[in-house]
């Protein structure tokens, strides 16, 4: 038994000692916990940890295997994302107890705070006292047992799992219902109660999902595909795209969900041009050897930085939206070109991990596929707040793509129209976010860079929050970014343009004198090396691209990503369709494309007179349109239009 | 973006270590906001007297501000009974019988470098950059022994770290009403324009000040605090958990999304409310408290026995 006194030891040091004890198989006693946050976070050995007092936020969070016993109360996020193992709390637990658990047994002898068991997938959450409002909020599986009163809106938006209630039912959440309970179920609950020595004499009622809201009422018809580039051409009021939109809405009676991004003309990188005469472009036959492009991202606060061979990353795209094969091809290409890949939502596969040299693991509000083990084998962690193509919205994965295999990884029922939560259970403001970041750092020993993905919206404020909360870098995403599935109007009208996003971000950092405190990776319609260089000139530290990589890997841009029957095998989970995708060949295509990007970045940097991508700056750019000039405050120089057209011929 | 705390001792004969209790509670949740800390404290009231607190800063400019404030007080028939320079503040107790709102607005413009922090018969707001303990060292908060008070720790995300941007906020123009707030009011400008059309002045762009003025306006029309809180849940958009205090009461309101944390503990002697349980635990070390999380869209008030 190891005793750790938190009156004398920091939580960070205590957690290291707890993990060391875990490795030796020794139990731990934590004295004077004083409701400190993050106690026991990241522990993956089956030892017993006794907390002699109260614990704060995220006690036993991001763990797999241990047994925790807390004498008194815990703050919010008890047993966050815990896989196997157990937690027994002698007193009360705060909000979102048992959030996102995937098998753990969580026993609270007192009362539960609000939203207990939010997005939980498997395991048991037991409350011997009363629950507060919205217990079982958005739960996907497992069981919640409440011996006392239910609180308001029990089972709000629950998808799967069962809730057993011993006391008074205050009210049911939307799409929840009371149903019959079987003898076996009662026995199973009683066995659980006996095991934890919790007396109970009353009767139980059972609450489950009512099944009215798991799928959209009508599925969207498969329409003859309209190529994206036709789709985005004429942007007048009445055209084929508007016509098709009205036809479909007349059938389904709701907003449409489609793949790809906004197709309106808004000011973009193509409205900027290089100011210097680029006559030298192409003279140097081997610009790559003449320009230093290696870029380190994420090391500002002592974490191990991502080491990119050029200032470029792959944008986050999920396994789910994309097939396993497509993700694997992107990962292989990223490794061959020695840049970083990103898991997006929905978890990490072995194939992807093995193929990508550097992999960022993304955490979203539904915690779909999120877990401590994959966190540890990632090279960076990322908290997704929103995305340029659909700021403020969660992802949509239509039933066709929610196969058994995919559902198992995400921990959700198969065959539902998955509408991922747009909010995190435990991030409701900058103050909560800082505690969440700390949890990630605690769980991974402060080794990995932690980034935040922001869809451009309220950038001026959000970027300050990102600095304040200690993120190592931000992935900033403008409205020209794409998605596998999103509301059509949202893509067109909600975000703000990529060039406006970077300008607002840099202005905000100047305001607070913190440009050197955080790095910015800009994305959202970055098509090639020319765009990437413009992004660097505008002040970003690196660019990221998603759509271009997918197109390089065989995407035909038909915008049917959401349907699930992608003919190329990219945006599908159907094994027959996926079989068409030739991973090795497409990985080579993507890699070859990334190398053209490298050449373009090098050639342009060299032609602008620099030997290092870091030297690129705003003085290298002019604006071709009054709108772009207004947004970027670059000089308006329409006379450069012809030269820009020539450049596209030369560098492309 | 922050941590809030409030405490009210229900009976005058109980301990009343309000200053110490608030320091402990805020120290417990300082991780929610390390940049600045503030307190709204309610001392003994005397008939026809006001307590005034101004931010004046330091150095010669501060001395000049104090001179101008004294002139303005004289002009408005406010006789100084006692006054003091403490930290960044100029603090005065004055004899005054007149329209507090007009007087407050005049005091706001008394000196270009000064700002009114609070005016009230018993309210005094103390706030500055730094932690609860640092602010206490500078302003001697722990000696304060009133019946109730509020506290706030701030994480400066959307404006600079400076003393006058710290919380709590006073309801500009209304004696004795203070607020601490965690969240964001999204119809801020709409609500503010409505109140401005009726002649109310705002001295900051902070949404906490808006809530304070909104509630104080209702109170001045004779609406009970509990009723005013109920109305605020309908009238204010956004996500918020706030605490409000007057001479005799404290209350809370929480929006219908209930996204911002709030937890409370009540006994026969006191009610304590905070953003996190860790703050409540500081008051009762080592005990398992039977705490309660207020439901979405709820509000309530408690008053001291008088």
């Amino acid at each position: 038994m190891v005793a750790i006194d938190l009156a004398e030891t920091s939580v960070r040091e205590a957690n290291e000692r707890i993990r060391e004890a875990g490795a030796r198989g020794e139990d731990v006693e934590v004295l004077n916990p004083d409701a400190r946050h993050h106690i026991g976070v990241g522990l993956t050995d089956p030892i017993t940890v006794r907390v002699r007092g109260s614990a704060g936020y995220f006690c036993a969070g991001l763990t797999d295997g241990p047994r925790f016993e807390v004498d008194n109360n815990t703050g919010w996020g008890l047993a966050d994302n815990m896989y196997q193992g157990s937690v027994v709390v002698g007193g009360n637990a705060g909000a979102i107890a048992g959030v996102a658990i995937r098998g753990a047994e969580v026993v609270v002898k007192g009362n539960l705070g609000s939203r207990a068991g939010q997005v939980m997938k498997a395991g048991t959450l037991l409350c011997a006292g009363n629950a507060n409002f919205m217990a079982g909020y958005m739960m996907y599986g497992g069981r919640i047992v409440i011996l006392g009163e239910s609180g308001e809106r029990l089972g709000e938006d629950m998808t799967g799992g069962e809730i057993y209630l011993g006391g008074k039912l205050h009210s049911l959440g939307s799409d929840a219902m009371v149903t019959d309970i079987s003898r076996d179920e009662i026995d199973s609950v009683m066995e659980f109660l006996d095991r934890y020595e919790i007396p109970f004499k009353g009767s139980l009622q059972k609450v489950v999902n009512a099944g009215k809201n798991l799928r959209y009422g009508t599925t969207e018809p498969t329409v003859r595909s309209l190529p994206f580039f036709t789709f985005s051409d004429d942007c007048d009021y009445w055209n084929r795209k508007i016509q098709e939109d009205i036809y479909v809405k007349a059938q389904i009676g709701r907003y449409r969900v489609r793949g790809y991004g906004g197709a309106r003309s808004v000011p973009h990188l193509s409205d900027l041009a290089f100011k210097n005469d680029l006559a030298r472009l192409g003279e140097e036959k081997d610009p790559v050897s003449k320009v230093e492009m290696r870029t380190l991202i994420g090391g500002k606060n002592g974490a191990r930085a991502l080491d990119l061979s050029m200032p470029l990353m792959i944008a986050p795209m999920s396994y789910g939206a994309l097939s396993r094969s497509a993700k694997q091809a992107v990962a292989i290409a990223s490794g061959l070109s020695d840049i970083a890949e990103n898991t997006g939502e929905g978890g990490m596969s072995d194939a992807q991990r093995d193929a990508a040299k550097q992999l960022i693991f993304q955490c979203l509000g539904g915690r779909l596929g999120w877990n401590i083990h994959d966190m540890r084998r990632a090279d960076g962690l990322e908290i997704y707040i929103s995305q340029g193509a659909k700021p403020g919205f969660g992802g949509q994965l239509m039933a066709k793509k929610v196969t058994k295999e995919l559902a198992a990884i995400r921990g959700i029922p198969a065959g539902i129209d998955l509408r991922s939560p747009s909010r995190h259970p435990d991030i409701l403001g900058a103050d909560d976010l800082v505690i969440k970041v700390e949890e990630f750092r605690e769980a991974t020993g402060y080794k990995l860079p932690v980034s935040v993905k922001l869809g451009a919206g309220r950038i001026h404020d959000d970027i300050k929050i990102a600095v304040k909360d200690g993120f190592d870098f931000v992935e900033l995403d403008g409205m020209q970014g794409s998605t596998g599935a999103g509301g059509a109007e949202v893509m067109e009208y909600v975000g703000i343009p990529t060039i406006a996003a970077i300008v607002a971000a840099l202005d905000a950092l100047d305001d607070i004198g913190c440009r050197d405190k955080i790095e910015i990776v800009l994305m959202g319609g970055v098509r090639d090396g020319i765009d990437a260089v413009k992004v660097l000139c505008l002040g970003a530290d690196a660019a990221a691209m998603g759509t271009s990589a997918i197109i390089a890997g065989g995407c035909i841009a038909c915008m049917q990503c959401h349907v699930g029957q992608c003919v190329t095998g990219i945006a599908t989970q159907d094994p027959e369709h996926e079989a068409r995708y030739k991973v090795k060949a497409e990985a080579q295509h993507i890699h070859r494309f990334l190398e053209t990007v490298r050449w373009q970045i090098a050639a342009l940097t060299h032609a602008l007179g620099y030997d290092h991508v870091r030297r690129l700056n705003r003085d290298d750019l002019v604006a071709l349109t009054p709108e772009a000039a207004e947004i970027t405050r670059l000089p308006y120089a329409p006379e450069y239009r012809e030269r820009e057209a020539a450049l596209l011929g030369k560098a492309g | 973006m922050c941590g809030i705390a409030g405490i009210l001792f229900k009976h005058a004969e109980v301990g009343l270590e309000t200053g110490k209790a608030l320091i402990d509670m805020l120290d417990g949740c300082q991780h929610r906001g390390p940049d600045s800390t503030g307190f709204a404290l309610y001392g003994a009231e005397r008939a026809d007297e006001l307590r005034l607190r101004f931010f004046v800063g330091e150095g010669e400019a501060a001395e000049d501000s104090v001179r101008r404030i004294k002139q303005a007080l004289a002009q408005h028939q406010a006789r100084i009974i006692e006054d003091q320079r403490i930290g960044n503040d100029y603090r005065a107790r004055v004899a005054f019988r007149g329209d507090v709102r007009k007087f407050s607005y005049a005091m706001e413009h008394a000196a270009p470098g000064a700002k009114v922090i609070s005016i009230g018969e018993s309210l005094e707001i103390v706030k500055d950059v730094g932690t609860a303990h640092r602010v206490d060292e500078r302003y001697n908060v722990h000696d304060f022994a009133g019946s109730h008070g509020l506290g706030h720790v701030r994480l400066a995300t959307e404006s600079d770290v400076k003393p006058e941007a710290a919380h709590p906020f006073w309801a500009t123009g209304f004696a004795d009403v203070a607020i601490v707030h965690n969240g964001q009011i999204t119809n801020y400008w709409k609500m503010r324009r409505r109140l401005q059309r009726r002649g109310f002045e705002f001295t900051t762009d902070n949404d906490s000040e808006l809530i304070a003025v909104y509630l104080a306006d209702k109170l001045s029309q004779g609406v009970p605090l509990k009723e005013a809180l109920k109305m605020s849940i309908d009238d204010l958009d956004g996500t918020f958990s706030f605490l409000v205090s007057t001479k005799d009461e404290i209350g809370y309101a929480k929006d219908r999304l209930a996204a911002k944390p709030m937890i409370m503990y009540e006994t026969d002697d006191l009610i304590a409310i905070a953003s996190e349980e860790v703050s409540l635990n500081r008051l009762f070390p080592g005990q398992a408290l039977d705490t309660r999380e207020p439901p979405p869209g709820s509000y309530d008030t408690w008053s001291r026995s008088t």
Side-chain angles (χ1 to χ4, degrees):
Chain A
M1 171 81 80
V2 180
I4 299 172
D5 189 346
L6 281 186
E8 292 162 2
T9 313
S10 70
V11 171
R12 180 171 174 179
E13 193 189 327
N15 279 337
E16 278 168 21
R17 286 175 57 194
I18 292 172
R19 286 194 285 261
E20 284 161 18
R24 295 191 304 270
E26 250 185 286
D27 292 346
V28 174
E29 185 168 44
V30 178
L31 304 169
N32 298 309
D34 193 28
R36 235 82 77 80
H37 298 330
H38 308 125
I39 294 174
V41 156
L43 179 61
T44 49
D45 292 297
I47 58 166
T48 299
V49 178
R50 294 189 181 84
V51 180
R52 298 298 189 206
S54 288
Y57 281 22
F58 300 119
C59 177
L62 297 167
T63 53
D64 188 3
R67 296 171 298 275
F68 283 82
E69 295 169 19
V70 183
D71 288 352
N72 294 353
N73 301 326
T74 66
W76 91 1
L78 173 68
D80 168 35
N81 206 258
M82 189 175 198
Y83 272 57
Q84 297 306 307
S86 65
V87 184
V88 177
V89 176
N92 302 324
I96 53 171
V99 56
I101 56 170
R102 292 196 65 168
E105 298 187 341
V106 181
V107 173
V108 176
K109 296 194 173 165
N111 301 325
L112 288 181
S114 63
R115 296 180 284 129
Q118 184 168 351
V119 301
M120 67 181 273
K121 320 280 181 344
T124 300
L125 169 63
L126 176 118
C127 162
N130 300 325
N132 212 309
F133 60 87
M134 289 194 214
Y137 181 38
M138 302 188 89
M139 72 186 281
Y140 294 106
R143 68 177 169 183
I144 298 178
V145 182
I146 300 163
L147 300 182
E149 298 184 8
S150 72
E152 301 298 313
R153 290 152 82 179
L154 180 68
E156 175 81 5
D157 283 331
M158 69 187 288
T159 296
E162 304 90 36
I163 303 175
Y164 301 97
L165 180 67
K168 183 182 160 198
L169 175 61
H170 285 266
S171 63
L172 284 171
S174 68
D175 207 27
M177 67 172 189
V178 175
T179 186
D180 294 339
I181 184 166
S182 74
R183 191 67 247 169
D184 287 351
E185 285 171 320
I186 294 172
D187 290 347
S188 169
V189 171
M190 294 312 291
E191 180 276 323
F192 187 89
L193 293 174
D194 287 347
R195 196 141 49 78
Y196 286 95
E197 295 173 348
I198 291 171
F200 178 67
K201 291 270 185 286
S203 62
L204 293 167
Q205 51 181 329
K206 178 182 173 189
V207 172
V208 294
N209 171 265
K212 293 185 202 125
N213 204 21
L214 288 181
R215 300 273 290 262
Y216 285 114
T218 41
T219 48
E220 199 164 312
T222 310
V223 292
R224 181 148 36 99
S225 61
L226 185 61
F228 182 66
F229 306 109
T230 311
F231 187 89
S232 60
D233 258 345
D234 44 70
C235 285
D236 295 318
Y237 266 86
W238 298 104
N239 50 38
R240 281 196 294 157
K241 141 183 168 184
I242 298 297
Q243 181 193 30
E244 183 204 70
D245 200 49
I246 294 171
Y247 279 150
V248 173
K249 282 176 180 162
Q251 285 185 51
I252 64 174
R254 58 173 160 82
Y255 65 90
R256 295 181 70 190
V257 174
R258 68 165 171 85
Y260 259 77
R264 281 197 310 145
S265 236
V266 292
H268 194 39
L269 296 163
S270 44
D271 297 318
L272 307 178
F274 296 106
K275 190 158 61 179
N276 288 2
D277 188 358
L278 297 176
R280 292 174 61 199
L281 188 64
E283 278 175 15
E284 173 56 56
K285 292 302 163 210
D286 183 18
V288 173
S289 68
K290 297 285 187 300
V291 175
E292 180 61 49
M293 287 193 281
R294 182 180 173 207
T295 301
L296 298 174
I297 296 282
K300 294 250 178 221
N301 300 303
R304 192 176 57 224
L306 297 164
D307 191 347
L308 311 172
S309 69
M310 59 177 149
L312 188 74
M313 290 186 184
I314 301 292
M317 294 176 282
S318 79
Y319 162 54
L322 303 189
S323 66
R324 187 182 288 266
S325 303
K327 277 305 276 180
Q328 194 186 348
V330 173
I332 293 170
S334 76
L336 292 172
S337 290
D338 206 1
I339 59 173
E341 149 77 332
N342 190 314
T343 63
E345 185 173 30
M348 183 189 291
S349 72
D350 291 342
Q352 181 189 22
R353 173 61 277 187
D354 295 345
K357 269 196 195 157
Q358 301 177 73
L359 183 59
I360 299 170
F361 188 25
Q362 207 181 43
C363 173
L364 286 88
R367 309 288 152 82
L368 305 166
W370 181 247
N371 66 81
I372 177 68
H373 303 292
D374 289 335
M375 286 172 80
R376 288 208 183 127
R377 59 177 187 158
D379 301 290
L381 304 173
E382 181 162 285
I383 295 183
Y384 168 104
I385 297 297
S386 67
Q387 178 177 348
K390 48 185 186 204
F393 291 79
Q396 306 220 25
L397 201 59
M398 297 299 111
K400 176 83 185 159
K401 291 169 98 168
V402 185
T403 58
K404 260 194 184 155
E405 186 200 354
L406 185 114
I409 289 180
R410 295 191 175 210
I412 58 171
I416 60 170
D417 282 332
L418 175 64
R419 281 153 282 183
S420 300
S422 56
R423 276 175 186 273
H424 287 262
D426 39 21
I427 303 170
L428 303 160
D431 37 12
D432 312 318
L433 185 51
V434 71
I435 303 174
K436 193 73 195 165
V437 174
E438 200 69 10
E439 188 200 18
F440 286 5
R441 294 205 195 273
E442 281 292 337
T444 52
Y446 291 75
K447 291 189 200 77
L448 303 183
V450 183
S451 56
V452 60
K453 170 80 187 286
L454 290 175
R458 208 187 60 146
I459 287 305
H460 201 85
D461 296 325
D462 290 349
I463 199 87
K464 290 181 186 173
I465 293 173
V467 173
K468 200 77 201 178
D469 283 347
F471 283 104
D472 298 306
F473 66 97
V474 51
E475 293 211 43
L476 183 59
D477 194 8
M479 73 181 289
Q480 287 92 338
S482 295
T483 171
E489 282 79 5
V490 174
M491 290 183 213
E492 304 280 15
Y493 299 108
V494 176
I496 66 168
T498 303
I499 56 172
I502 182 70
V503 172
L506 293 172
D507 283 352
L509 293 176
D510 272 352
D511 272 4
I512 53 173
C514 289
R515 178 62 191 99
D516 58 339
K517 295 265 169 63
I518 195 163
E519 285 150 333
I520 301 177
V521 180
L522 187 66
M523 64 182 81
V526 178
R527 299 163 301 179
D528 50 27
I530 302 173
D531 282 354
V533 171
K534 289 175 182 172
V535 158
L536 298 171
C537 289
L538 283 172
D541 296 285
M545 50 173 62
T547 307
S548 294
I550 294 301
I551 294 176
C555 165
I556 57 169
C558 71
M559 296 194 296
Q560 305 299 307
C561 325
H562 59 293
V563 175
Q565 285 171 306
C566 176
V567 294
T568 64
I570 294 174
T572 182
Q573 300 303 327
D574 183 328
E576 266 181 51
H577 289 256
E578 189 176 346
R580 295 176 194 156
Y581 198 75
K582 303 292 172 246
V583 174
K584 278 188 189 155
E586 296 300 354
Q588 284 302 327
H589 287 139
I590 300 168
H591 169 54
R592 273 202 290 277
F593 170 71
L594 291 173
E595 292 309 304
T596 71
V597 173
R598 184 192 309 279
W599 189 88
Q600 285 182 319
I601 294 174
L604 281 167
T605 306
H606 188 259
L608 286 165
Y610 305 119
D611 58 1
H612 198 303
V613 288
R614 280 257 167 224
R615 309 259 187 302
L616 294 164
N617 63 79
R618 277 172 60 88
D619 291 341
D620 296 322
L621 294 177
V622 292
L624 299 176
T625 66
E627 292 86 355
E630 179 71 23
I631 290 173
T632 57
R633 300 191 300 270
L634 289 168
Y636 174 44
E639 65 274 17
Y640 279 77
R641 271 182 211 151
E642 277 176 30
R643 197 196 278 179
E644 180 71 2
L647 170 70
L648 286 175
K650 213 168 181 180
Chain B
M1 305 271 178
C2 315
I4 59 178
I7 190 162
L8 177 140
F9 291 98
K10 295 174 183 173
H11 311 294
E13 64 272 21
V14 179
L16 300 189
E17 295 194 314
T18 304
K20 271 189 197 147
L22 285 171
I23 293 164
D24 282 346
M25 290 172 82
L26 294 182
D27 182 56
C29 69
Q30 197 87 56
H31 55 268
R32 295 188 75 89
D35 294 325
S36 60
T37 307
F39 302 85
L41 305 163
Y42 289 84
E45 59 188 290
R46 294 202 183 96
D48 300 324
E49 280 185 22
L50 286 178
R51 294 162 185 270
L52 280 76
R53 209 139 180 155
F54 293 84
F55 169 79
V56 292
E58 286 171 316
E60 227 164 88
E63 297 316 314
D64 180 55
S65 290
V66 171
R67 270 193 300 277
R68 286 167 190 253
I69 290 167
K70 285 180 177 168
Q71 282 168 15
L73 287 171
Q75 266 171 28
H76 289 83
Q77 284 79 46
R79 183 175 52 82
I80 299 170
I81 298 166
E82 63 173 317
D83 66 349
Q84 183 191 12
R85 279 278 288 119
I86 180 165
N88 286 316
D89 297 356
Y90 170 67
R91 181 189 186 203
R93 193 154 61 81
V94 301
F96 179 80
R97 330 166 64 152
D99 182 339
V100 173
R101 225 172 96 197
K102 270 192 198 144
F103 176 63
S104 306
Y105 293 165
M107 287 306 111
E108 189 59 48
H109 305 292
K115 267 182 162 322
V116 179
I117 300 172
S118 66
I119 293 181
E121 289 175 12
S122 61
L123 169 67
E124 283 193 73
I125 289 177
V126 175
K127 55 186 184 182
D128 205 340
V129 297
T131 63
H133 285 300
R134 190 179 122 62
V135 173
D136 175 39
E137 275 166 29
R138 219 169 166 202
Y139 295 90
N140 204 19
V141 177
H142 68 275
D143 272 348
F144 177 79
S147 55
H148 62 296
L150 305 179
H152 189 279
V153 293
R154 175 163 184 263
L155 179 73
T157 49
E158 290 167 39
S159 54
D160 296 342
V161 179
K162 49 185 184 185
E164 60 270 37
H167 301 220
F169 277 94
W170 164 59
T172 306
F174 298 88
D176 292 311
V177 179
I179 196 131
V180 289
H181 163 221
N182 182 12
Q184 196 174 28
I185 305 300
T186 46
N187 62 344
Y188 170 78
W189 290 105
K190 198 166 123 191
M191 295 294 293
R192 174 167 162 166
R193 275 193 295 274
R194 269 188 211 166
L195 289 162
Q196 277 175 324
R197 273 200 293 272
R198 295 187 29 231
F200 298 114
E201 288 189 19
F202 287 82
T203 61
T204 70
D205 289 344
N206 192 291
D207 52 5
S208 305
E209 184 191 21
L210 174 93
I211 304 174
V213 172
Y214 167 90
L215 292 172
D217 172 40
K218 302 272 184 232
L219 294 175
S220 70
Q221 295 169 37
V223 178
L225 181 60
K226 198 183 262 191
E227 187 62 24
L229 290 169
K230 183 182 178 188
M231 294 158 102
S232 76
I233 292 171
D234 285 331
D235 287 345
L236 301 175
D237 282 343
T239 171
F240 53 83
S241 283
F242 67 79
L243 297 174
V244 60
S245 55
T246 67
K247 261 194 302 189
D248 304 310
E249 287 181 285
I250 68 169
Y252 82 90
K254 198 169 175 179
D255 74 285
R256 292 199 176 86
L257 286 172
K260 303 311 283 186
M262 182 182 271
I263 189 144
M264 54 180 66
Y265 178 66
E266 185 170 10
T267 68
D268 291 342
D269 292 329
L270 64 83
I271 170 80
I273 308 176
S275 297
E276 292 184 26
E277 191 158 327
V278 58
S279 292
L280 304 177
N281 289 338
R282 288 297 171 94
L283 300 175
F284 301 93
Q287 293 181 37
L289 302 179
D290 189 13
T291 54
R292 192 160 60 84
E293 185 175 358
S298 66
Y299 55 92
D300 207 348
T301 59
W302 292 263
S303 42
R304 68 194 176 102
S305 59
T306 45

